Amino acid sequence: MEKLTFKLTKKTITVFVVMIAIGLIALLYGVFGGPGPERVAANLLLNNYYFLSLGLIGLFFVTVHAISESAWHTSVGRIGEAMAAFIPVGGALILLFFVLGGLHAVFEWTHEDHLDAILLKKTPYLNEPFFYIRSVLFIGVWAVMAHYIRKVSLQVDHNGDIKYFNRLRTLSAVFIVFYALSSVVTSWDWLMSIDAHWFSTLYGWYVFSSMLASGVAMIIIVLYILKRMGYMEHVNVEHLHDLGKYLFGFSIFWAYLWYSQYMLIWYANIPEETVYFYERHKNFEGIFYVNLILGFLIPFFALMTRKSKRTFSVLIPVSVIVIIAHWVDLYLLIMPGAVGGEKSGIGLLEVGLTIGFIGLFLLVTFWTLTKAPLASKKHPLYKESLDYHTNY
Amino acid sequence: MENKYFKSLEELSIDITRETSEKPAGDKQFILEMQQEVKKMTSGTRRDFLKAFGFTIASAAIATSCEQPVRKAIPFLIQPEGIIPGKANYYASSFFDGIDYGSVLVKVRDGRPIKIEGNTLSSITKGGTNARAQASVLSLYDNERHKFPVFDGQETTWEQADEKIISQLNSIKVKQGKVVLLSPTVISPSTKAAIDEFVAAYPGTEHIQYDVLSASGMLKANEKTYGKAFIPSYRFEKAEMIVSFDADFLGTWLSPVEYTKQYIKNRKLTSGQGRMSRHIHFEGAMSLTGSNADHRVQLKPSQQKLVVANLLNVLRGKMGMDAAFLPASPVEVEKLADELMQCKGKSLVVSGSNDAEEQMLVNAVNHLLESYGTTILTDVHTKIRQADDARMDALVQEMNDGKVDGIIIFDVNPAYDYPEREKFIEGLKKVGLSVAMPVLDDETSYHVKFICPDHHYLEAWNDFEPMTGYYSLAQPAIRPIFKTRAAQESLLRWSGNSADFRTYMAGVWEQKMFTKATAEISFTDFWNKKVHDGVFETGEKESGINSFNGDNAFAALNSIKVESSEDSTDLVLYTNVSVGSGKHANNPWLQELPDPVSKACWGNYVAISPRLAIELNLKNEELISVNGSPALPVLIQPGQEYKTIAVALGYGREKAGVPANGVGQNLFGLIGKDAENKKYWLSDVNISTTGGKHPIAITQSHHSMEGRAIIRETTLEAYLENPQSGNEVRLEIKEHLKSMYPKAEFDGLHWGMAIDLNACTGCNACVVACSAENNVPVVGKEQVIMAREMHWIRIDRYYKGDPDNPEILRQPVMCQHCDNAPCENVCPVAATTHSNEGLNQMAYNRCIGTRYCNNNCPYKVRRFNFFDYTGADTMKGNRYDPAEMTTDLRRMVLNPDVTVRAKGVIEKCSFCVQRIQEKKLKAKTENRMLRDGEVVPACAQACPAEAIVFGNLNDKESMVSKYFADQRNYHLLEELHVLPSVGYLTKVKNKTV
Amino acid sequence: MNKYLTAYYLDEEDLLKGLKKIMSKGVEVSDVLTPFPVHGLDKVLGLRRSRLSVVAFAGGAIGATLGFLFQAWVFTRAYPINFGGKPYFAVPSFMPVTFELAVLFAAFSMVFAFLISNNLGPGSKNIIHDEQITDDRFLLVVKMDEENEERIKVVENILSDAGAQGITLKA
Amino acid sequence: MYVSPIREPLIKGGKDYSQVTKDIMAPMAGKPSIYWYVGIAISGGALLFGAWATFVTVYYGIGSWGLNKTIGWAWDITNFVWWVGIGHAGTFISAILLLFRQKWRTSINRSAEAMTLIAIACAGFFPLIHMGRIVLGFFIFPYPNTRELWVNFNSPLLWDVFALTTYFLVSLIFWYVGLIPDIGTVRDKAKNKIRKAIYGFLSFGWTGSAKHWSRHETVSLILAGLAAPLVLSVHTIVSFDFATSVIPGWHTTIFPPYFVSGAVFSGFAMVLTLLIVTRKALNLEQYITKVHIESMTKIIILTGSIVGIAYITEFFMAWYSGVEYEQYAFMNRAFGPYAWAYWIMMTCNVITPQLFWFKKIRTNLVAVFIISIFVNIGMWFERFVIIVTSLHRDYLPSSWTMYTPTMAEVGLYVGTFGLFFTLFMVFIRVFPVIAIAEVKSVLKSSSDEKKHTHHE
């Protein structure tokens, strides 16, 4: 008999709680110990943003496959839904972070005395009230939509009525349109405006591609953990292959956008743009290339063959690497502007805090997984999802 | 102080002259060969001549383009002395077209004059040239030159012509008839001597001078105030306060090159003197000079005299003299008078009016301000305007009355430019003997019996005395191309003197000039030296000038009336810096030269103020007629006085040749007359629309800088407080200049150019010089309308402020030779690359014409050959030559050192790389380093304002490096980090904000 | 000289079923000709996965390497030219050509390998057993020893037992 | 393979394999209809117009166009990018939809790919003809020469040469590899000897062997895997033509994905335009069904929305950047002398495709056809807006000019239409417009007939 209902063991909870504790300790160390408040704030933003985005990518996956009526994803759809449960948590945390001084610690434009001519011109957009309005609005809508999408998705499973299936599709379409706009705008607000003078039209999509790749990696990891626990038997190697392809494809996509943005700025060499990479080359050169190796070269070569996409023994290490890669990516997006070359670094604070966030994220995700059957058996496409094979 | 900066430049030019022109052009053996060749030709058509010419001169250089079909090039069997193939010789000469004077050097390559440079030995023009002097080399190769003597429309020989003319002259002499020799102002001592000889031979002869652009009013005013009709010499460099009433002294008034040289001495701030003259300009139309003024006051021409009178009156009042009761001045003059008073003895008031009364008033003003002796010299005369307008009018009447039996027309074209030209032509028909001695085909030649063509000035000997004691010489730089004869020689021949003019002239000089020489012992030495130098300055002064007599002026002051009603619309007839009086209308370079103010070329138009245009509901290019004149298109000209309209003279030629004919309309007919002088303005004109439109070729259609820091400017006050003022943004830009890759290193030379926006007046000399030096094609009106002009250097002109009375800002822009050039990156075939001396270079042969570089050039200085403008391509249909620039004759002006570009390739400013190369090789053969200022691009060399400095940026002591280090220096669009090699110095105006 | 015994089905599911039956009886089916790729057929026939992907990878790797090295050689060794101050070793600029050549080489090497390994190509004269196989027939071909007529009979029977139609023997 | 009952059938009319063969090959058989002749006459006329314009351009020079000192590119590169964009749908359908296992692609991939190849040919014509010295065009190839001069690998135009060549060749072999089995079908159905010989030659000796099929599938898949990034790369590189520059309105980092998405957008629009007519004319309505058309409209909504977001992003960023040149460039687009072009673009590209959110419009063929043409127009104007309005007013106002096309330019554009339709009409007579084998392979799972009878 398939194990359809997931149960969270005490052991697992303990692991997550310990991880959260590590994170808290690292935070305390950061505040009272060495690295100082700027670095703490930047790290909080990084992790907040990262895991909130992973939650959103979970929801994005659910919705995108709902509107594309793709069958195979129904088998792993619950994972995305569970990740999406982190949205209200992460959203609350990031708002809390902004309110509790994070905004001032990280964003230069919030300091009125720091505004030069160019920043003054941007104040109609970059001002605190409007910033909060946007943030609250986006987070609120995400959370509400996540809630409803989950609800309708569960109704599909309970009921199997095509009505809910269609409703899910409509809701998904609404979410995707909203998310397409809001993900771009939040990436400007929460990340790009750290380097307030700098701008890049591709930025929003670049950050999205980064999150997309790490989101897939996270789904694979969660799937693996569930499988290890003996769940998710209906997920076969074909599904894994599809996830592997996503990981492979999105890593290339990320590299493609990375190259597009980098090359264009490198080529035109206009100071108002190059200042961004100039800083990253100057003080973050090593990690700059590490990011590329982890985020592109390793997944690209490791996942090139068909076989590697079908085996956990390759997929899991690659997924972990990809998750690290995009953490590094965010690090490169945030630190040079928020902390600066001299003060930033990767130490206990960074590692500990990230572990804490992973713990929290997984706790929320797995706890949500207990709330509903792991397979949506009455889903109109469920049957189809079991019977297919990928050739490639 | 100033001289220090340009010392090296002078050295350079002296260098060239000394070294290469030890001998006058006529090397004997060479000339002998030439003559033999020419003799062989049975009929002397141009084509035949050219064949011979091509063979003799071995002008392999024409075949410069790779796509040019191979032509026979035969090397010299015996190398003529003094000619080294591939090496240019420079000959000193003088340019005088009856309007402008300039002492010049003629660059001759393989027997062909190809370029005019300024002669730095002249203390009048000091190495400066204007656009017309630069362009004059092209008229040597004008397709419409008279090629042989003509009698009754048929070709004849000189012998036959002489015989007939002499016999007719003699019969006139016998019946004691009257012969008139009609010429422009003659400033040539030898010509005058020849004329005297002619008059002596035919005692009934009267020599009448006729100036198209007349200063007759000033001559008469001076006669009344100083007892002699003369034009004084001005010293703008001594003036701290310049007030000009419509005198366009930087563009067209009297001696603009001379005045520009003087003017900029007090305008440049690069030597750190921290002082500038203040220039206030009154005018109705928008002139080059007005647009350079610190303060420009709009004033209708019909009110100008009244304002001058009021100024005089106020000054008199301030000096405790009794003031006259005058109608009120339409503009405020109190403040002006105060300012002038403060600069007493250091001020200069000039007027461009041809009204004797007004000039008298101006004289009185200057007298009160004690300008005479300091900024105006009465003992040194400017001799280039001598004509009395009334005399010419009388002549025309006499001709019509049948009182003239013979007329010899020398270098004037009244059938085109006399206000009542129909009457002149009628009169001419009644003259028994009519002889014209033109160089180029013109309207007058069609109404005379004899055409006895004169040499082009580059083929002829001549001498000049443009100012008292300043003599200069002209020598042939090429053997006459056609069967022409010096006009003076014709006169001598008809007077029975068989001497050739060179000999005659030498005789005159031996008698008159050699006596004034101090350094040389023998005349031969003296002669050789002066021919080599081109100038001879004696420092002599005029005598017989009375002291100032203010009676007439005071009488004039008292009789001042309001000349026009408030709502009168005035018309100003002006000449522009390109075709001028129309004499040069057949010069394609000048036709294509955009007006410095309107940026229009290829034709004239009616400039109208924006307000008046709205009032009359006129749009740009709509055709209107002024007082029944031929219809002209409207051009709405910001800055034009509300009720003043302006039209350029010099257009509407009918018999000048292909580029000139039918371009614009001839408005000489509208020139009016006051008591005795020509009047270049009219009041109460009547404007009527004629329906229809006529396109105006304009090279710049957007006139605002859109708030961008393109031309940076400040006031003198602000500058003195902070030299960076106006340029503050640069500090910020420099702070942000970050690059993704290291700057390229230039270990040897790194060429750079600096342009002082304060010096640049926008006169356009550089544009023509560049075209001549770099074989820049002429594209014609249609193509200019399509915005396809090819100029490598352009002078951007922006309006600032109130559209009814804007300020004008100008900026010469050429390829900026960016070290991070966006254009180079994108060329797929590597046709444009960066040299190790920092030059942005074009390999024309490699270019396939994707135009990508041009798209990516932020300055849009690259030019694409949309058609084959030069005859360098092989495909027939590609040829596009509306100005007939590809005839064999015209092509002789091409510079063999510069590739002639084919259709479909991009071209652009090269920093005159051929000149760089030439000087580098020279330095190398002399085993030395290049000197700063040794390499001078054509634009910099032509500039009368010394606004352009070129040199090695790696040499921290070079002039250009010093300019670059100046706090006024900035680079255009520097924020893009394209690293331009051209720097600009902010414009500083002496005004209060 | 070999002979071929051919038989066809009109439905791919029948084919798969029949084929399994036939093969279980020890008949070696040398080929199955179908109008479109039938899923599961390669498993039944025991066909190995194609190694064309290796060829593609090799081709791509060669293309990319050649492309990159050629550009680098031109810019840094053969004729270094200063273009707009860009470094001679302008890696970002080399990427597009490198990528395109990788794809070009990969695609062409693989397609050529495909054609060669299948003996396909312009003018290739492969035996066409039945003109209907490009329409609606699923034909199976059993290679027969000409001498062994008995075996032919046996196989014919097996085929007809398995529901195959139009059993014919061809040279 | 199980297919969920909620899915609509892709092939209607209860076809069997033999019927599929017959239906799809029908347009190739017999004499062409009168419509075909009318069509080829019209497109042939357009082609002649183009030939005249080509002659004018070469014989008189680029001066016969409306370009000037400031605007070096206008219709030429607009048309180039437009055609390249259209050339994206075919390979996108064959490659990316294959990777995403979208079965509906099987009915349209053949014709879409043919369209791609023709469109690339049309596109490739413009960079050639736009050269000032077309006879020296071979300079762009890095061939060894006595001057030892190579090409500039920094130049996006050079990248274009490589990208377009590669794209054309790879698309060609991809298309041809897919065509081989169908040519085999044509060969086997041919009655006439010559026809048989020709198609026999072209079929490369296809036998339909299981081994061949297996390898064929692998090749198709890997080619799809290669073509997918290739498709992205081509328009990415085309976008680099502009984005690498320093011209405001050209230099923006979003261009690569935005151009790709725009290309797919316009490509699908063109496929729709063509197929709505073709399916009717060739009686293929049961193969190219409303499901296909709806699926394509969905891709149009997706890509159109991406393009729309990109427009908004660009506009916002221009303001946000604080760079006056950027700000001016975008204000000039929207409110300058070429505002009409901008608003045509906005209307056609952003607003009209949004109508596809409504199922009623998606399934209304007339509406879809009209909107698809709107999108074609809009995408042409997008390139025109990017190229001309960015160039005509860039940094120094002194050089600002306007642009008006000439008859020669119009002729070249119309001429490529002539080429496009002529070749497409030849194609429908010469090759099966639908991939016969591929349709058969999904027939069981996706036709209406089988649906009800199919049991697990």
Side-chain angles (χ1 to χ4, degrees), chain D residues 80-402:
Chain D
F80 161 66
V81 181
W82 189 74
W83 278 118
V84 177
I86 285 173
H88 271 57
T91 311
F92 184 89
I93 290 167
S94 314
I96 292 176
L97 296 187
L98 181 84
L99 295 179
F100 278 103
R101 289 194 301 274
Q102 298 293 319
K103 283 179 187 160
W104 54 272
R105 79 174 195 285
T106 53
S107 296
I108 56 169
N109 60 358
R110 169 71 41 76
S111 50
E113 263 189 83
M115 189 197 81
T116 289
L117 291 170
I118 302 169
I120 296 297
C122 292
F125 171 71
F126 285 101
L128 282 181
I129 194 73
H130 101 294
M131 287 179 193
R133 302 207 290 178
I134 192 168
V135 281
L136 299 176
F138 60 89
F139 280 0
I140 52 172
F141 295 109
Y143 61 95
N145 57 70
T146 50
R147 290 157 299 195
E148 291 182 29
L149 182 60
W150 299 97
V151 292
N152 180 4
F153 289 110
N154 282 320
S155 169
L157 265 189
L158 189 89
W159 305 342
D160 271 343
V161 172
F162 279 85
L164 274 188
T165 317
T166 304
Y167 184 52
F168 184 79
L169 292 175
V170 172
S171 296
L172 184 68
I173 57 168
F174 194 6
W175 181 66
Y176 202 81
V177 165
L179 200 52
I180 289 173
D182 286 1
I183 296 178
T185 308
V186 180
R187 171 198 65 198
D188 293 344
K189 290 284 165 202
K191 304 271 181 321
N192 167 330
K193 257 199 181 151
I194 301 166
R195 206 174 156 87
K196 200 159 199 119
I198 292 171
Y199 284 101
F201 180 82
L202 292 176
S203 72
F204 286 10
W206 177 256
T207 62
S209 153
K211 200 176 277 175
H212 290 188
W213 272 123
S214 162
R215 288 183 184 140
H216 187 268
E217 273 202 299
T218 309
V219 165
S220 302
L221 282 169
I222 297 173
L223 272 178
L226 289 170
L230 182 63
V231 164
L232 301 192
S233 83
V234 173
H235 230 61
T236 295
I237 288 171
V238 169
S239 83
F240 287 165
D241 285 348
F242 310 107
T244 55
S245 79
V246 295
I247 302 300
W250 278 22
H251 177 65
T252 176
T253 50
I254 206 169
F255 262 19
Y258 147 45
F259 262 55
V260 170
S261 156
V264 174
F265 181 53
S266 68
F268 271 84
M270 188 53 114
V271 173
L272 275 176
T273 312
L274 269 187
L275 287 189
I276 287 174
V277 178
T278 308
R279 72 194 276 274
K280 184 94 190 156
L282 304 184
N283 288 319
L284 296 172
E285 283 119 316
Q286 284 162 329
Y287 295 92
I288 303 167
T289 63
K290 288 199 175 174
V291 180
H292 292 96
I293 288 166
E294 237 191 297
S295 304
M296 285 193 267
T297 60
K298 285 176 186 167
I299 299 229
I300 285 184
I301 306 182
L302 171 70
T303 49
S305 304
I306 294 177
V307 167
I309 290 178
Y311 291 161
I312 297 164
T313 306
E314 265 191 303
F315 222 108
F316 173 77
M317 247 347 131
W319 173 80
Y320 177 86
S321 71
V323 180
E324 56 183 325
Y325 310 113
E326 289 283 333
Q327 291 175 346
Y328 187 89
F330 281 87
M331 290 310 281
N332 182 49
R333 270 186 195 180
F335 307 109
Y338 288 110
W340 53 272
Y342 180 81
W343 293 110
I344 290 177
M345 164 191 111
M346 278 309 233
T347 317
C348 293
N349 287 353
V350 182
I351 297 165
T352 50
Q354 300 302 326
L355 295 172
F356 283 150
W357 285 107
F358 305 103
K359 193 170 173 87
K360 265 207 176 132
I361 293 175
R362 283 206 300 267
T363 49
N364 180 331
L365 285 185
V366 178
V368 173
F369 184 75
I370 291 169
I371 292 175
S372 77
I373 286 178
F374 269 112
V375 172
N376 285 321
I377 294 170
M379 285 309 289
W380 190 90
F381 274 100
E382 180 196 293
R383 280 62 177 255
F384 179 82
V385 164
I386 290 172
I387 293 171
V388 174
T389 62
S390 304
L391 282 179
H392 93 122
R393 290 185 171 180
D394 61 346
Y395 286 102
L396 299 185
S398 65
S399 299
W400 292 0
T401 58
M402 293 292 288

